[in-house]
Amino acid sequence: MARVLMLVGDAAEELDSMYPLFRLREDDHEVVVAAPSTRPVQLVVHDFEPGCDAYTEKPGRRLPVDLAFADVRPEEFDALVIPGGRAPEYIRTDPEVARIVQHFFAHDRPVGTICHGPQVPAALGLLRGRTTAAYPPLRADVEQAGGTFADGPDVVDGVMVSCRGWPDLPQWSKAFLRVLAKTNGS
């Protein structure tokens, strides 16, 4: 069993957050949810509707939070997951998030990003020389951060596993669980 840290905030995408949370727990891993504070975060539902050029956003469920970012001790975790939605846009500027994410990259621990999740390591200069999937309109952001954009459902670069968004979660989950098993000696 691994301890997996999930970084969220208000407007994290509901499927991007809940699917990996339950899938990892289903495999007997402990998932700890961290956010700017310990109050529950408001998730959102992103969907694609006919006649819209971009996705739409509706309120989703509230997700309980276990730890505030400031209280996270990253050395106590085996892996990290960063769901998409709008939350990565602002949590990437939090110095505590920088401290946490840099630890996982520095110690070659598994990092899973979903949809807009790569915005966090991109803002920290951690995608340089790496290949990652992301929500397709983020291609320029990935490339500006020195990364290579890959349009795939389960892109693995070392211990980093990424996907384009919630439709890719079945493939992403399988790939992330394989990387997690390999790095935890399972």
Side-chain angles (χ1 to χ4, degrees), residues 143-165:
E143 292 171 350
Q144 287 293 320
T148 300
F149 177 83
D151 188 7
D154 54 355
V155 175
V156 178
D157 183 327
V159 294
M160 189 175 75
V161 182
S162 57
C163 70
R164 299 167 293 199

Side-chain angles (χ1 to χ4, degrees), residues 49-99:
E49 299 191 26
C52 291
D53 292 330
Y55 55 83
T56 60
E57 182 174 286
K58 296 173 183 73
R61 291 173 174 76
R62 290 194 181 273
L63 177 62
V65 173
D66 302 303
L67 286 173
F69 293 149
D71 297 326
V72 170
R73 296 180 55 181
E75 65 276 5
E76 295 178 353
F77 295 91
D78 302 301
L80 175 67
V81 173
I82 308 171
R86 284 186 297 112
E89 291 176 15
Y90 69 90
I91 69 170
R92 65 184 171 173
T93 65
D94 187 312
E96 296 296 339
V97 168
R99 172 184 63 83

Side-chain angles (χ1 to χ4, degrees), residues 37-55:
S37 72
T38 56
R39 71 162 173 76
V41 294
Q42 178 63 57
L43 301 176
V44 296
V45 175
H46 288 154
D47 210 348
F48 299 90
E49 299 191 26
C52 291
D53 292 330
Y55 55 83

Side-chain angles (χ1 to χ4, degrees), residues 93-105:
T93 65
D94 187 312
E96 296 296 339
V97 168
R99 172 184 63 83
I100 295 163
V101 175
Q102 287 166 342
H103 173 86
F104 284 91
F105 277 85

